[in-house]
Amino acid sequence: MRKPILAGNWKMFKNTQETRELAAGLKSKVAQAGDREVVICPPFTSLAAAAAAIQGSSIKLGAQNMYWEDKGAFTGEISPGMLKEIGCSYVIVGHSERRQYFGETDETVNRKMKKAFSSGLLPIVCIGETLAEREGNATFKVLERQLREGIKDLAAAEAKQLVIAYEPVWAIGTGKTATPQQAEEAHAFIRKTIAGMYGEQMAGEIRILYGGSVKPDNIKELMGQADIDGALVGGASLEADSFSKIVNY
Ligand code: 13P
């Protein structure tokens, strides 16, 4: 049985004061959701405030990015150790906005993912096709390349803890959700590709989240699909009311 994950990617929203308010709101609305994992991923500068605010709850903390070295002259970067120390257990790797605007590639995704594991963080590796790729019938080809390059060279113990987020770029922030059938088709393909890389058993344990305009009114149907194990939520995770409805779908 794969335990569902409902994760909020706050992107570049919420200063420390706003973080305290939102996290406190979530804490009161998201009861001890024992049968599902709840993760919030605020910006770096709000991680400490979020960590303090969620203490005593089952909500987990994640970061939105990290670098693959422990320390050094890497101006502007954040190490996995820094994230661990502040209380993170998850880190998002290779979000499409990072690929699109900040030059992330399958190779940097792979380095970060491996470093996250060896540092004791669980990576949420994002993949997904653009609209042009979908319209050009290249969706599966793109997903396969992102997986073969992005998640290669994992040890078995790591592979089964991997979390993948399928986020079709055309559905992010657009209000245009993939239909549950479109999402399921992609998720099933992702699981099959992972089975080819790491074996059927491993692929059966890996959690694959859907991301892209997830809202309280579409979460239930998405979660009803066989290969959808949770959601990575952007806009709707910025209000305690809507995110708690998604968590308690
Ligand atoms: P939206 O939910 O705002 O479409 O964002 C999805 C996303 O990018 C989560 O990482």
Side-chain angles (χ1 to χ4, degrees), residues 175-220:
K176 227 172 120 179
T177 331
T179 64
Q181 292 71 31
Q182 280 175 321
E184 171 58 22
E185 182 188 39
H187 280 230
F189 176 80
I190 290 165
R191 206 176 298 284
K192 193 179 83 185
T193 304
I194 295 175
M197 296 174 73
Y198 291 107
E200 291 282 345
Q201 194 195 338
M202 216 66 89
E205 293 189 39
I206 288 172
R207 290 174 293 180
I208 307 173
L209 317 184
Y210 169 79
S213 299
V214 173
K215 307 280 180 237
D217 63 7
N218 59 26
I219 182 71
K220 206 174 171 74

Side-chain angles (χ1 to χ4, degrees), residues 13 16 24 27 38 61 65 78 107 124 129 135 143 163 178 180 199 221 224-225 244:
F13 294 97
T16 54
K27 200 173 157 178
V38 182
L61 194 61
N65 184 28
I78 300 282
E107 192 204 331
I124 300 174
E129 80 287 359
E135 289 179 341
L143 294 178
V163 180
E221 212 185 342
Q225 307 301 310
S244 60

Side-chain angles (χ1 to χ4, degrees), residues 8-12 39-45 47 61-69 74-84 86 88-105 107-116 119 121-126 232:
N9 173 9
W10 294 7
K11 308 195 179 183
M12 201 173 73
V39 183
I40 56 172
C41 305
F44 290 132
T45 50
L47 285 171
L61 194 61
Q64 299 173 18
N65 184 28
M66 56 160 247
Y67 194 53
W68 58 74
E69 295 288 347
F74 302 108
T75 302
E77 293 295 323
I78 300 282
S79 77
M82 293 167 182
L83 298 180
K84 287 271 293 178
I86 216 160
C88 290
S89 41
Y90 283 94
V91 60
I92 298 172
V93 174
H95 190 279
S96 66
E97 285 146 19
R98 297 226 45 95
R99 294 178 191 251
Q100 200 177 342
Y101 308 129
F102 305 102
E104 295 243 8
T105 62
E107 192 204 331
T108 61
V109 167
N110 188 249
R111 284 187 182 215
K112 290 180 180 192
M113 179 208 61
K114 285 192 284 192
K115 184 66 182 178
S119 309
L121 289 163
L122 293 179
I124 300 174
V125 176
C126 302
L232 184 56

